[in-house]
């Protein structure tokens, strides 16, 4: 049965799920859902994912949202190599730790900056909203990257071990899109080296990140 994947390739969680599927040759069909054109908010799309967010999957008649949950489901249902989401309870807990940490730390900081620096001018948010969001984003991003730097100074992979996990895929997808809001991991050498390692190791990285790369290139012009 073909798994249906609903994505906007500019979105961090979409790229993470896409890479896990492509890397492991999991048969799937991609459905593009353009966030900026309002396609996540249509009645038809809400039949796929009632909360109107991407990514989402439909596997047979099973509907699922939330990228981290989707990645865990793919690991288990497609019997992917153990290193992505280890069976060992403690190693698995480390991967879960970083996936949970992601929501209110790296992602939170990144999304506050995207709100201030990217959507702020487009949607003409009040200056006070932009300033508050930018300050919060900068503070949270700094503490998040500092913590990642400490961790990656001791280990090649974010959850430890000597192989890639779904936590690396989720977090690397986020760090890769920091330039959208004018941020970056410059000044964090271990994070930079890890991003380079992950983006080289994941063979589908260039394909899945092509839309983001094109967008960033056009923004620089
Ligand atoms: N925690 C969710 C986040 C999903 C999410 O916020 N998706 C955004 C794109 S990054 C979205 O669909 N936004 C569309 C909208 O809010 O209309 C996950 O990891 O899948």
């Amino acid at each position: 049965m073909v798994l249906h994947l609903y994505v906007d390739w500019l979105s961090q969680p979409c790229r993470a799920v896409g890479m896990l599927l492509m890397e492991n040759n999991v048969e799937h069909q991609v459905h593009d859902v353009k966030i900026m054109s309002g396609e996540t908010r249509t009645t038809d799309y809400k039949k796929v994912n009632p909360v109107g967010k991407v990514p989402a999957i439909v596997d047979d008649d099973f509907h699922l949202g939330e990228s981290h949950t989707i990645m865990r489901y793919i690991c288990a249902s497609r019997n992917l190599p153990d290193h992505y989401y280890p069976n060992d309870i403690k190693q698995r807990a480390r991967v879960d730790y970083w996936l949970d940490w992601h929501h209110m730390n790296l992602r939170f900081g990144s999304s506050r900056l995207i709100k201030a620096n990217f959507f702020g001018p487009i949607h003409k948010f009040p200056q006070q909203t932009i300033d508050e969001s930018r300050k919060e984003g900068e503070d949270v991003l700094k503490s998040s990257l500092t913590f990642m730097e400490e961790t990656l100074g001791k280990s090649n992979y974010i959850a430890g071990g000597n192989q890639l996990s779904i936590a690396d895929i989720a977090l690397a997808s986020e760090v890769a899109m920091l330039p959208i809001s004018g941020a970056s991991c410059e000044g964090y050498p271990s994070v930079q080296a890890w991003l380079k390692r992950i983006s080289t190791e994941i063979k589908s990285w260039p394909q899945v990140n092509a839309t983001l790369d094109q967008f960033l290139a056009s923004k620089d012009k």
Side-chain angles (χ1 to χ4, degrees):
M1 187 62 69
V2 179
L3 181 146
H4 295 269
L5 171 67
Y6 295 80
V7 287
D8 181 324
W9 288 124
L10 274 183
S11 143
Q12 172 274 328
C14 294
R15 285 179 289 111
V17 172
M19 282 191 271
L20 184 68
L21 287 169
M22 284 186 205
E23 211 51 22
N24 290 283
N25 297 317
V26 176
E27 194 183 1
H28 66 283
Q29 187 179 333
V30 172
H31 303 265
D32 285 307
V33 183
K34 295 280 167 244
I35 298 173
M36 295 294 267
S37 311
E39 291 177 14
T40 44
R41 286 177 233 123
T42 62
T43 310
D44 273 353
Y45 184 65
K46 286 193 178 167
K47 286 181 195 154
V48 173
N49 185 359
V51 297
K53 302 274 182 199
V54 282
I57 58 164
V58 179
D59 191 23
D60 201 357
D61 60 352
F62 183 59
H63 291 232
L64 196 62
E66 288 296 329
S67 61
H68 298 167
T69 307
I70 295 171
M71 288 197 286
R72 293 181 182 110
Y73 172 78
I74 293 166
C75 288
S77 65
R78 268 53 181 189
N79 203 16
L80 298 195
D82 188 70
H83 62 87
Y84 285 107
Y85 191 53
N87 274 309
D88 177 88
I89 292 172
K90 289 181 181 160
Q91 284 175 21
R92 175 169 291 204
R94 287 211 187 287
V95 173
D96 283 332
Y97 171 86
W98 283 101
L99 292 173
D100 289 343
W101 176 89
H102 183 204
H103 286 302
M104 288 309 289
N105 292 281
L106 181 65
R107 179 145 185 81
F108 184 82
S110 168
S111 56
R112 280 291 175 280
L113 285 176
I114 290 172
K115 180 180 173 190
N117 298 344
F118 181 72
F119 287 115
I122 294 175
H123 297 306
K124 300 196 176 11
F125 292 152
Q127 194 56 43
Q128 190 184 346
T129 307
I130 293 179
D131 291 345
E132 283 170 5
S133 199
R134 182 176 296 137
K135 169 89 180 75
E136 193 172 27
E138 282 171 355
D139 289 349
V140 176
L141 186 63
K142 187 175 175 192
S143 64
S144 300
L145 288 173
T146 301
F147 185 42
M148 288 179 68
E149 178 68 20
E150 280 166 27
T151 306
L152 291 165
K154 297 179 218 139
S155 169
N156 279 345
Y157 298 94
I158 197 71
N162 51 16
Q163 277 181 295
L164 182 81
S165 76
I166 55 175
D168 292 292
I169 302 178
L171 269 59
S173 303
E174 192 77 59
V175 174
M177 80 180 297
L178 290 177
I180 274 199
S181 64
S184 81
C185 59
E186 251 174 62
Y188 301 90
S190 302
V191 177
Q192 279 180 302
W194 163 82
L195 180 61
K196 193 161 182 210
R197 188 178 315 119
I198 301 302
S199 59
T200 309
E201 200 171 309
I202 298 177
K203 297 289 168 260
S204 57
W205 182 283
Q207 188 184 345
V208 172
N209 287 276
T211 306
L212 175 67
D213 291 342
Q214 278 163 18
F215 183 83
L216 291 173
S218 69
K219 193 173 159 282
D220 288 344
K221 278 186 192 153

